[in-house]
Amino acid sequence: MAEQTSAGGTGHSRQGVSEPRIRPVAIGGVVFAVCIMGIIGAYHAIAGLAAIIDHNFYRSQQNYAYDFSISGWGWIQLITGIVVVAAAFQIFSGRTWARAVGIAVAVISALENFFFTPYYPVWSAIVIALDVLVIWSLATYGHREAHKVYNAPL
């Protein structure tokens, strides 16, 4: 019988190298992570601008160990927002370093919101939860999937 090759079923390419199997959850997770990082970055930037423009927007907290000046919080929020949005756009490059930076930025965002909790407790908790989901989404998305989807170099 003649040798038959099929596109599906075996998971092997013609050269004998196994092609990565793309999981829809992983791809959807990355799109989710990028969208959420864009929203979180925009929130950080808007919250930072609000504090920089109007010093009375946030009230200074009494007996809070990490109480910076309102202007200081504003600049921290603004810079973090710009970095988060920039990292979100780099994730679609499919490079491992972009995912690592995305995870690191989400960790920094979660820590920043932990310290920002006295100013906006409910929203800070929501952003921390979203940062955890971003970290999970980026951590489960592998290099082989990025190569298959974006033709990123192996």
Side-chain angles (χ1 to χ4, degrees):
M1 227 164 138
E3 183 180 332
Q4 296 179 353
T5 60
S6 65
T10 63
H12 295 288
S13 68
R14 293 178 190 228
Q15 291 84 14
V17 177
S18 159
E19 288 186 25
R21 189 177 86 105
I22 300 174
R23 296 174 297 159
V25 171
I27 303 302
V30 169
V31 172
F32 170 80
V34 169
C35 292
I36 293 300
M37 285 179 72
I39 292 169
I40 289 171
Y43 166 73
H44 282 303
I46 291 168
L49 284 174
I52 292 169
I53 293 170
D54 183 10
H55 294 288
N56 295 324
F57 188 76
Y58 300 112
R59 289 181 295 146
S60 184
Q61 300 298 314
Q62 299 296 325
N63 299 324
Y64 183 53
Y66 303 106
D67 189 22
F68 295 122
S69 71
I70 299 302
S71 178
W73 269 118
W75 282 107
I76 290 171
Q77 290 272 5
L78 180 62
I79 291 168
T80 303
I82 293 168
V83 170
V84 169
V85 170
F89 285 117
Q90 290 301 313
I91 290 172
F92 276 135
S93 71
R95 305 234 185 240
T96 303
W97 67 265
R99 287 192 325 273
V101 167
I103 290 171
V105 166
V107 167
I108 291 168
S109 173
L111 286 173
E112 179 184 338
N113 275 289
F114 173 75
F115 292 119
F116 197 68
T117 301
Y119 299 100
Y120 272 108
V122 174
W123 185 248
S124 291
I126 291 169
V127 172
I128 290 169
L130 290 173
D131 282 328
V132 169
L133 286 173
V134 166
I135 293 166
W136 175 82
S137 296
L138 294 177
T140 59
Y141 182 70
H143 183 68
R144 291 187 129 343
E145 288 94 349
H147 172 70
K148 182 71 175 178
V149 174
Y150 303 116
N151 290 325
L154 285 173

